[in-house]
Amino acid sequence: MQRQLANMKQSLFDQGYLDEQFIQLEELQDDTNPNFVEEVVTLYYRDSVRLIQNIEHALDKNPLDFAKLDSHMHQFKGSSSSIGARKVKIECTQFREYCRAGNGEGCKRTFQQVKKEYATLKKKLEAYFQFARQAGPVEKACRPK
Amino acid sequence: MAVDEMGGDCSSSGAQELHVLAVDDSLVDRKVIERLLKISCCKVTAVESGSRALQYLGLDGERSSVEFDELKVNLIMTDYSMPGMTGFELLKKIKGSSRLREIPVVIMSSENVLARIDRCLEEGAEEFLVKPVKLSDVERLRDFILRGEDKNKTEITRKRKTCDDSFFATLGIFTIIPQM
């Protein structure tokens, strides 16, 4: 089961959903904090609901306030980056570029992508953590003492 | 906002524990920086804004200096982009305070903008870290700060030792010369 879990994780990296930062977080996990990564990711989901809603509301305004949109997305990009959400981060970056160009259509289009990538990642990570719990305590990544 | 306890393997050799004040409006980032600091054997107080940080540091005039001394902060790590007061504005306020200006301040930002970095360093920031912050960044910072703290503590001892050394060195010269 451990091997399946490792394969699951590897494919998340191979398919580009996660980056190095996720590994950095895993290295912060130990016996005293065995669920650290899942805790951080859970906080991320909670935060993301709020941030995505903010962006949605801002995109409904007419005319669009690009500075505000950029600011909201900066926050969302930041927390996505902090958990290693690579594809989400890429879409966030694209969104911010459209903000800076004052391209409302581009923003709206890209935002759909942002939400799509976020939903996909969330689903995959939920499956991963659920499987991890079933697989039992795992040998944690070695952290230099 | 409570000061948390240290992590598992930090009890070695009675090494001094730094107290770090972490400032970040992101819930996710606060959790991560807190963990990074605890693993690096630092006491952490994490707050979500510049104004809360100033409150904690007693710069809003409400806390007595006696209270402040007990919770001495050795390092402040602050995010740059925060609503209300930015990390840069917080930096300026800290460096503008005669009581607090000696505390090293580190700015963290996801945006690697040279002009921003320069501005922060010019204003007195110790360092500018690009997010996401890594464990190696924190450990390096901690070692740097600890060396600074040690230096302060041993300054008096060093001065005394230098005097002793000079004395014995002088004696040494008198013994060596005859052998030549």
Side-chain angles (χ1 to χ4, degrees):
Chain A
M1 237 186 158
Q2 299 295 359
R3 185 130 56 96
Q4 270 180 285
L5 186 66
N7 288 339
M8 255 182 122
K9 187 162 68 161
Q10 191 56 49
S11 98
L12 285 171
F13 282 96
D14 291 343
Q15 292 173 54
Y17 288 104
L18 294 175
D19 64 28
E20 159 74 17
Q21 178 59 16
F22 192 82
I23 299 177
Q24 290 281 326
L25 292 185
E26 287 192 310
E27 292 185 349
L28 303 183
Q29 216 161 242
D30 61 18
D31 294 335
T32 65
N33 280 262
N35 304 307
F36 177 70
V37 186
E38 197 177 354
E39 286 166 16
V40 177
V41 172
T42 305
L43 274 182
Y44 169 66
Y45 297 151
R46 213 185 301 163
D47 221 23
S48 299
V49 170
R50 182 180 58 89
L51 293 171
I52 287 173
Q53 253 172 25
N54 288 345
I55 296 169
E56 218 122 44
H57 289 154
L59 280 173
D60 276 340
K61 299 261 192 300
N62 197 2
L64 292 176
D65 182 345
F66 288 108
K68 199 161 211 162
L69 280 168
D70 188 55
S71 168
H72 286 319
M73 188 49 90
H74 168 77
Q75 285 187 283
F76 184 57
K77 183 183 166 193
S79 43
S80 301
S81 168
S82 295
I83 68 146
R86 184 178 164 273
K87 287 196 186 197
V88 177
K89 192 169 73 159
I90 288 170
E91 297 302 332
C92 291
T93 304
Q94 184 61 69
F95 182 95
R96 293 190 74 193
E97 281 177 22
Y98 281 126
C99 282
R100 282 164 200 171
N103 183 339
E105 280 316 302
C107 283
K108 288 177 179 169
R109 221 173 32 239
T110 310
F111 187 55
Q112 297 312 310
Q113 284 301 112
V114 170
K115 285 194 290 185
K116 181 164 161 278
E117 289 300 343
Y118 169 76
T120 305
L121 177 67
K122 184 162 186 264
K123 212 160 115 189
K124 288 186 183 283
L125 282 178
E126 278 170 347
Y128 172 73
F129 286 121
Q130 191 176 38
F131 196 76
R133 259 177 267 130
Q134 287 168 16
V138 164
E139 194 181 301
K140 301 296 178 235
C142 288
R143 179 167 42 79
K145 300 252 169 189
Chain B
M1 213 169 90
V3 174
D4 286 302
E5 283 160 14
M6 55 183 176
D9 54 355
C10 296
S11 46
S12 55
S13 69
Q16 185 197 348
E17 230 192 3
L18 294 183
H19 179 202
V20 182
L21 177 64
V23 191
D24 201 319
D25 62 310
S26 161
L27 195 51
V28 172
D29 289 354
R30 269 203 311 282
K31 185 164 174 83
V32 175
I33 197 76
E34 220 171 343
R35 182 75 187 133
L36 288 173
L37 287 166
K38 283 192 207 169
I39 283 185
S40 306
C41 304
C42 297
K43 283 203 285 276
V44 192
T45 301
V47 299
E48 75 264 23
S49 69
S51 45
R52 296 282 267 169
L54 291 179
Q55 232 178 2
Y56 185 80
L57 293 166
L59 259 192
D60 65 348
E62 287 193 21
R63 176 177 260 143
S64 76
S65 58
V66 173
E67 256 186 279
F68 170 71
D69 287 343
E70 286 178 9
L71 292 157
K72 180 168 190 269
V73 170
N74 305 112
L75 167 67
I76 297 167
M77 295 183 75
T78 177
D79 187 26
Y80 183 92
S81 310
M82 295 187 291
M85 192 188 301
T86 66
F88 181 68
E89 286 160 355
L90 176 61
L91 167 70
K92 281 202 288 195
K93 289 217 151 69
I94 291 164
K95 293 302 169 187
S97 154
S98 52
R99 183 164 57 84
L100 300 174
R101 74 161 65 104
E102 292 308 311
I103 304 177
V105 180
V106 168
I107 308 283
M108 305 177 283
S109 175
S110 55
E111 288 169 320
N112 199 352
V113 177
L114 199 56
R116 178 181 291 186
I117 298 172
D118 282 346
R119 208 186 317 139
C120 290
L121 295 178
E122 270 164 33
E123 200 61 41
E126 205 62 47
E127 196 163 335
F128 188 101
L129 294 176
V130 178
K131 281 175 152 185
V133 175
K134 294 181 165 53
L135 185 58
S136 53
D137 294 325
V138 174
E139 286 172 338
R140 189 167 41 83
L141 249 186
R142 175 207 58 199
D143 291 344
F144 173 75
I145 305 288
L146 276 175
R147 276 201 299 277
E149 294 285 321
D150 278 348
K151 237 195 308 177
N152 291 337
K153 285 207 177 112
T154 60
E155 192 61 8
I156 293 167
T157 338
R158 187 194 65 82
K159 281 182 175 154
R160 199 187 310 134
K161 188 175 188 298
T162 310
C163 292
D164 290 351
D165 280 355
S166 317
F167 177 69
F168 286 113
T170 315
L171 278 187
I173 290 171
F174 285 124
T175 51
I176 286 168
I177 291 175
Q179 286 167 21
M180 282 160 62

